[in-house]
Amino acid sequence: MTNPLGLSIPALAARIPDEAAAYEVLEELRWPDRPVCPHCGTAKMPYFLNPQGEGRKTRTGKVSPRRVWKCAECRKQFSVLTGTIFHGTKIPVRTWLFVVVEMCASKNGVAAREIERKYGLTPKSAWYMTQRIREAMKAEPGALLPMVGTVVADEAYIGGKTRKKHGSFQGAGKVEKIVPPKTPVVTLINQETGEARSRVVPSVTADTLASTIMAQVDVDRARLFTDEHQGYKMVGRWMGLGHEAVNHGHGEYVRGDVTTNPVESFFSQLKRSIDGTHHHVSPEHLHRYLAEFDFRHTTRKMTDAQR
């Protein structure tokens, strides 16, 4: 099936001129064959409740473009929004689709403030939308299989620079503004598939690095490339010959096929985007931003419409 979202914003606007069309596009994406009841999981001939394809009247007499179905098995009503990140939303579905396309296509991400200005939303609504879309970009925990093949691992610290702290003199003493400590992140990239997995970790110690990597990598079927960080030595002992490292401290960045350049490039994009687009990301929500950048990196060879 041809992707109904098109390849550009003008194509998307032409394909989705109103709210009713937005529902139809979502139905094409979610149910390419026939509607499936999200309550009982059956596709046993659900029937359309909108009379003759027209909008349904609400209790106040207004016509709603919401397309409603009823399951012939469990007799429950549902729409294409049921059980999705759009469930119960008061924001137009058409706006949701435009924002989804922008977040999937923008290499540096899109700030909530920009979404607010473009689509006439409140700051709270714009932030809520972007966070929900990031949640949808996260892979289901049960769907992630251990990585095999060549896996590159490295750590980075996300947050403000200590040298940027400013103090002010107050009386005889000096009062400094408190700058939160940087948040450590560990990222694994599979060189064969291009898949990226990033995790926020409490610290960069041997135990933390080992547990993070061992939870994501099949040590019997993978080669692990890292830098000379001492914390990776524990993983190296478990993996034996499956672990190799380059020594950045001695100016070694590539030795044969051993390198950490793929994950260094990922961190470069991540930090540049956080600094330039989002400016600040709190540790509480950092895992969602990581999921967004993991998703775009993993699907970077797809077209925008496929993504």
Side-chain angles (χ1 to χ4, degrees), residues 28-285:
E28 289 181 46
L29 289 169
R30 188 177 185 184
W31 303 317
D33 298 322
R34 64 172 59 184
V36 178
C37 175
H39 300 293
C40 64
T42 183
K44 183 181 177 181
M45 297 302 292
Y47 52 92
F48 195 42
L49 291 182
N50 294 36
Q52 300 177 353
E54 300 175 358
R56 302 177 72 234
K57 285 189 176 180
T58 64
R59 287 178 296 178
T60 60
K62 293 182 178 180
V63 177
S64 171
R66 181 169 176 261
R67 292 166 56 88
V68 182
W69 300 79
K70 189 169 184 177
C71 179
E73 187 71 23
C74 67
R75 309 299 295 172
K76 292 182 179 179
Q77 294 185 14
F78 62 91
S79 76
V80 71
L81 309 185
T82 304
T84 69
I85 62 171
F86 315 113
H87 192 109
T89 183
K90 299 295 189 293
I91 301 169
V93 177
R94 186 173 185 265
T95 300
W96 274 100
L97 289 178
F98 274 86
V99 176
V100 167
V101 169
E102 286 210 42
M103 290 187 65
C104 286
S106 301
K107 186 176 181 180
N108 292 322
V110 182
R113 285 292 189 178
E114 185 175 349
I115 297 300
E116 169 202 343
R117 293 192 303 270
K118 281 185 175 180
Y119 298 98
L121 302 171
T122 64
K124 185 176 180 180
S125 294
W127 186 85
Y128 170 80
M129 288 180 69
T130 56
Q131 292 293 65
R132 270 211 165 186
I133 294 170
R134 291 184 183 103
E135 278 291 324
M137 290 176 171
K138 291 171 62 175
E140 293 292 335
L144 291 176
L145 298 175
M147 286 181 162
V148 298
T150 303
V151 179
V152 184
D154 200 5
E155 74 286 343
Y157 295 86
I158 307 299
K161 292 180 170 57
T162 304
R163 64 180 176 83
K164 296 295 185 182
K165 290 195 299 185
H166 299 286
S168 59
F169 288 99
Q170 185 175 9
K174 183 179 180 182
V175 179
E176 287 190 345
K177 293 181 181 179
I178 298 176
V179 177
K182 291 189 176 185
T183 305
V185 171
V186 174
T187 295
L188 309 176
I189 293 182
N190 190 310
Q191 282 195 329
E192 278 80 20
T193 64
E195 180 187 6
R197 299 184 190 177
S198 302
R199 300 290 183 269
V200 177
V201 294
S203 60
V204 182
T205 62
D207 289 339
T208 302
L209 291 174
S211 60
T212 303
I213 293 173
M214 300 297 285
Q216 304 294 326
V217 177
D218 186 339
V219 295
D220 296 323
R221 301 168 56 201
R223 296 175 66 203
L224 180 66
F225 295 164
T226 69
D227 57 21
E228 74 278 14
H229 193 288
Q230 295 296 313
Y232 294 115
K233 286 190 175 180
M234 180 181 293
V235 186
R237 286 196 296 269
W238 288 339
M239 296 187 66
L241 297 177
H243 172 237
E244 297 185 62
V246 289
N247 195 328
H248 290 170
H250 291 141
E252 182 186 51
Y253 296 93
V254 179
R255 188 182 66 253
D257 63 342
V258 182
T259 181
T260 60
N261 285 348
V263 73
E264 299 283 357
S265 176
F266 174 85
F267 283 140
S268 175
Q269 178 70 55
L270 172 66
K271 292 179 179 180
R272 183 166 64 250
S273 300
I274 289 179
D275 289 344
T277 301
H278 303 292
H279 305 308
H280 171 72
V281 174
S282 66
E284 179 185 1
H285 299 290

